[in-house]
Amino acid sequence: GPMATEGHLLVHVFEAAELSSSAMPASKLNPQVLVRCAGRSEGTAVKRRTDHPVWNESFSMPVAAIAKDVLEIEVISATSSAKGLGTWTFGVAELVEEMEGSS
């Protein structure tokens, strides 16, 4: 059934730059961003053959428990064998505090 949520987090994915490396030249990169929170997973469009993708996409992610939930952002190159380019995790509580401007 539906999960009880404490609210939603609006995640805006703008762009990424300098994703290429000697092992993964821009011509082989198909960058995509995966956003995960509270069991929900969303993904941006796949941008083809670029190391400076611009997505400009927004996702409304459910938050089940502000104190416990983690927002995970992963950048992958969407190919037959999806290669991870980096993962960032943020505690939802920290993000909420930053947005409210409390110290």
Side-chain angles (χ1 to χ4, degrees):
M3 272 182 8
T5 59
E6 279 196 14
H8 286 79
L9 203 56
L10 187 65
V11 180
H12 196 88
V13 180
F14 284 106
E15 62 181 336
E18 297 176 11
L19 293 175
S20 58
S21 64
S22 51
M24 291 285 283
S27 60
K28 289 191 172 174
L29 283 173
N30 299 303
Q32 180 183 29
V33 176
L34 305 177
V35 182
R36 290 187 279 267
C37 190
R40 161 93 56 92
S41 184
E42 298 280 353
T44 64
V46 175
K47 299 295 179 182
R48 304 250 163 231
R49 298 186 178 83
T50 175
D51 70 343
H52 191 156
V54 177
W55 290 284
N56 221 9
E57 293 183 47
S58 296
F59 303 98
S60 181
M61 304 300 288
V63 174
I66 289 173
K68 293 204 295 273
D69 280 347
V70 170
L71 174 71
E72 190 174 283
I73 310 273
E74 184 177 12
V75 180
I76 65 164
S77 181
T79 48
S80 49
S81 56
K83 285 217 183 333
L85 300 174
T87 306
W88 294 264
T89 24
F90 306 93
V92 170
E94 295 165 44
L95 294 172
V96 169
E97 270 180 31
E98 272 180 37
M99 284 187 280
E100 289 173 351
S102 60
S103 49

